[in-house]
Amino acid sequence: MTDNFVIAPSILSSDFLDLGDVLRTCKSAGADWIHVDVMDGHFVPNLTMGPFIVRHCRRGTDLPLDVHLMMENPERLLEAFAEAGASRLTVHVETCPHLHRTLEDIRALGCEAGVTLNPATPAASIFQALPFADLVLVMSVDPGFSGGTYIPEMVGKVAEIRKEMNRIGSPAWLEVDGGISPETLPEMEAAGATAFVAATAIFKHPDGIAAGIASLREAG
Ligand code: DX5
Ligand code: ZN
């Protein structure tokens, strides 16, 4: 980490013909983690990457791989993602009826355990799981695609979760994902977020990946 917050480029918007270059450029531009968006075509409408891509990312960078599992029954593939080299596995509360067990299973596989929630899911739905989580991810768009519409009401949810994390002394990361840009990052940081995922703001920046990362770094 080169600052007091983490920047995690979401490679969903990157050029997969040049994945190796993308990963090298992210690292040299100061990215802290690489965010990998796994979508199953059921929980979310889009279908994207699996353990195969995570394995290639692992070969292409030594940055932590922050793997966001937008999938039903994530338990079935936790081991495969861990073996592929994921550093952290983040599951959706909406897909995990036995959330404590799932988070414990992730840690037992040697990964950090993350929990995330959709915009319409109340903050309190993850409070009981906080002691088992190394990261909480607040979705600030409805998941499924890069370039979604930022939901400003999620600033209040970040603040609510930050308050509860402080109350119980949770050291977990508080990450936000969706519509993060130099315009939206500061209010999320002020609300207590410590890690920022961005696809469009980095990979669609008119001056390139490094400029996109720099613009987020300067905004914080
Ligand atoms: C959304 C994904 C995000 C997405 C972010 O479902 O989880 O990680 O790639 O894209 P932007 O930054 O364009 O909103
Ligand atoms: Zn994501």
Side-chain angles (χ1 to χ4, degrees):
M1 191 163 64
T2 52
D3 207 332
N4 54 349
F5 62 86
V6 156
I7 294 178
S10 155
I11 57 170
L12 188 59
S13 287
S14 71
D15 182 354
F16 269 65
L17 268 186
D18 288 320
L19 185 57
D21 260 359
V22 163
L23 296 171
R24 280 187 289 276
T25 305
C26 284
K27 177 158 181 176
S28 64
D32 301 290
W33 305 339
I34 297 296
H35 184 83
V36 182
D37 285 306
V38 175
M39 304 185 183
D40 68 350
H42 294 276
F43 177 61
V44 290
N46 201 359
L47 186 61
T48 60
M49 320 165 206
F52 176 81
I53 297 284
V54 171
R55 185 168 294 114
H56 282 274
C57 290
R58 185 70 295 156
R59 289 173 53 220
T61 186
D62 59 2
L63 289 177
L65 298 178
D66 183 46
V67 179
H68 177 191
L69 299 176
M70 287 160 276
M71 60 183 295
E72 290 173 6
N73 303 119
E75 302 82 8
R76 290 182 189 170
L77 285 175
L78 295 177
E79 195 172 346
F81 279 110
E83 279 176 5
S87 310
R88 180 182 307 104
L89 295 171
T90 297
V91 295
H92 271 263
V93 62
E94 298 87 358
T95 66
C96 292
H98 309 293
L99 185 56
H100 293 87
R101 182 192 298 159
T102 306
L103 295 173
E104 283 183 325
D105 287 350
I106 292 170
R107 283 178 167 174
L109 287 165
C111 296
E112 289 189 17
V115 61
T116 181
L117 67 176
N118 282 337
T121 304
S125 67
I126 54 102
F127 284 178
Q128 299 300 319
L130 281 175
F132 298 83
D134 302 300
L135 175 140
V136 176
L137 168 57
V138 174
M139 292 306 302
S140 39
V141 298
D142 275 305
F145 302 91
S146 297
T149 306
Y150 177 75
I151 303 173
E153 287 75 15
M154 296 303 107
V155 175
K157 186 191 275 186
V158 168
E160 206 180 329
I161 293 174
R162 168 53 64 203
K163 191 172 166 201
E164 179 65 9
M165 288 171 74
N166 288 348
R167 190 185 72 78
I168 68 163
S170 166
W173 296 102
L174 182 48
E175 184 178 51
V176 286
D177 182 5
I180 298 303
S181 69
E183 289 69 46
T184 59
L185 186 150
E187 62 185 4
M188 286 296 196
E189 188 184 23
T194 51
F196 300 88
V197 177
T200 304
I202 292 174
F203 295 107
K204 304 297 181 196
H205 193 285
D207 298 325
I209 295 173
I213 291 174
S215 69
L216 291 173
R217 191 66 78 194
E218 285 157 17

Coordinates of all heavy atoms in Angstrom, one line a residue, residues 35 37 68 177, ligand 2:
H35 N -8.4 -7.0 -8.5 CA -9.8 -7.4 -8.2 C -10.3 -8.2 -9.4 O -10.3 -7.8 -10.6 CB -10.6 -6.2 -8.0 CG -12.0 -6.5 -7.6 ND1 -12.4 -6.7 -6.3 CD2 -13.2 -6.5 -8.3 CE1 -13.7 -6.9 -6.2 NE2 -14.2 -6.8 -7.4
D37 N -13.4 -10.3 -10.9 CA -14.9 -10.4 -10.8 C -15.4 -11.7 -11.4 O -15.4 -11.9 -12.6 CB -15.6 -9.2 -11.5 CG -15.4 -8.0 -10.7 OD1 -15.8 -8.0 -9.5 OD2 -14.9 -7.0 -11.2
H68 N -13.8 -11.7 -6.2 CA -15.2 -11.3 -5.8 C -16.1 -12.3 -6.4 O -16.3 -12.4 -7.7 CB -15.4 -9.9 -6.3 CG -16.8 -9.4 -6.1 ND1 -17.3 -8.2 -6.7 CD2 -17.8 -9.8 -5.4 CE1 -18.5 -8.0 -6.3 NE2 -18.9 -9.0 -5.5
D177 N -17.2 -1.0 -4.2 CA -17.0 -1.5 -5.5 C -18.2 -1.1 -6.3 O -19.4 -1.4 -6.0 CB -17.0 -3.1 -5.5 CG -16.8 -3.7 -6.8 OD1 -16.6 -3.0 -7.8 OD2 -16.8 -5.0 -6.8
Ligands
ZN2 ZN -16.2 -6.6 -8.1

